Amino acid sequence: MCRWLAYSGEPLRTSAVILDAKHSLVAQSLDSPLGAETVNGDGFGIGWYPVGSEAGTHPAVFHSIEPAWNDDNVRELTRAVESPLFFSHVRAAAGPPIQRTNCHPFRWENWLFMHNGFLAEFSKVARDLAFAIDPSLYPHVRGTTDSEVLFHLAITFGLADDPVGALTAAVDHVERVGREHGILFPVQGTIAVADGATIWALRYSSQGESRTLFHSVDVPTLRRMYPDADRLTEFGDTAHVVVSEPLNDLPGVFVEVPEATIAVLDREGYHHEPFRTAA
């Protein structure tokens, strides 16, 4: 459906992973071997927090409906922006129209959200799911994607206070409504949210066959593994990425996030825990 990456660590020029890696996000937009679609050319987005950000910091966002590989603004922007925490996403539209308001990442206050996947047969459940969104939040739903509805459900269910609990409640609600409408496997995909200091990345599907998700190994370990890799000098000791698919072919650099898992990336590094729903 889409491809995305999330970075956390020392401030990094965003082009280092969005443009310059062997299998950068822009490269994946044109050729994605592990994706459901090989080409992801229906929009690009980046959301980034400023240097010195902490939980509660407001991010900036940029969205474009141009294919990432054909948009000069993507190159100009990513080579100019330096950030300690940023998201980027390339979109393959699967129904909702190609428009800026449907491009990820989505933003609400200090939160960023992006999704690779779908809510099955969304047209059947869209009305019921929309009615579950807090009325004060509904005016902030500006696009027509299932992803943006899922984001606002998570906010409704307490994202600001308990991100894991809110994501769990949102997924539970979608699965319950979906099955009430006869949908066997309502949820598919990988999700990332951030608050300015921490990234939560979820890999989950109702069927147990989720979109791919990987995290990078810590940089000091990589320097020991590949002492002659000059590119590693661009990255600080706490730099990590969570990505839809690896950014290079070097063995051991990226590790697959297990199925039904929520990965947490914060100042202490990377860790993960099982993701359990009520089903």
Side-chain angles (χ1 to χ4, degrees), residues 60-190:
V61 293
F62 169 82
H63 297 132
S64 171
I65 60 171
E66 296 291 326
W69 67 82
N70 193 44
D71 190 336
D72 288 340
N73 289 322
V74 171
R75 288 161 175 77
E76 292 290 331
L77 179 70
T78 60
R79 287 172 178 151
V81 170
E82 190 172 273
S83 170
L85 197 166
F86 59 88
F87 283 7
S88 191
H89 185 281
V90 291
R91 182 170 182 246
I98 300 169
Q99 59 192 48
R100 268 199 197 96
T101 53
N102 284 343
C103 292
H104 308 223
F106 301 106
R107 177 180 63 190
W108 176 76
E109 295 185 351
N110 62 301
W111 291 87
L112 290 175
F113 175 99
M114 57 187 175
H115 175 216
N116 169 28
F118 57 86
L119 306 185
E121 299 184 64
F122 181 59
S123 61
K124 286 187 178 180
V125 297
R127 182 176 181 275
D128 288 353
L129 295 181
F131 270 115
I133 295 172
D134 186 291
S136 68
L137 293 171
Y138 190 75
H140 297 281
V141 181
R142 301 177 60 229
T144 60
T145 65
D146 51 356
S147 301
E148 192 176 14
V149 168
L150 182 59
F151 179 32
H152 285 80
L153 285 173
I155 300 167
T156 298
F157 293 135
L159 183 68
D161 298 317
D162 179 5
V164 175
L167 289 171
T168 303
V171 169
D172 278 343
H173 184 75
V174 173
E175 291 193 317
R176 182 170 59 256
V177 171
R179 286 168 181 153
E180 288 171 356
H181 286 77
I183 300 168
L184 187 59
F185 302 120
V187 177
Q188 165 63 256
T190 60

Side-chain angles (χ1 to χ4, degrees), residues 18-19 24-32 38-44 64-75 89-92:
I18 295 174
L19 278 180
S24 69
L25 195 66
V26 170
Q28 291 177 30
S29 71
L30 191 57
D31 182 12
S32 173
T38 301
V39 177
N40 299 271
D42 298 326
F44 169 86
S64 171
I65 60 171
E66 296 291 326
W69 67 82
N70 193 44
D71 190 336
D72 288 340
N73 289 322
V74 171
R75 288 161 175 77
H89 185 281
V90 291
R91 182 170 182 246

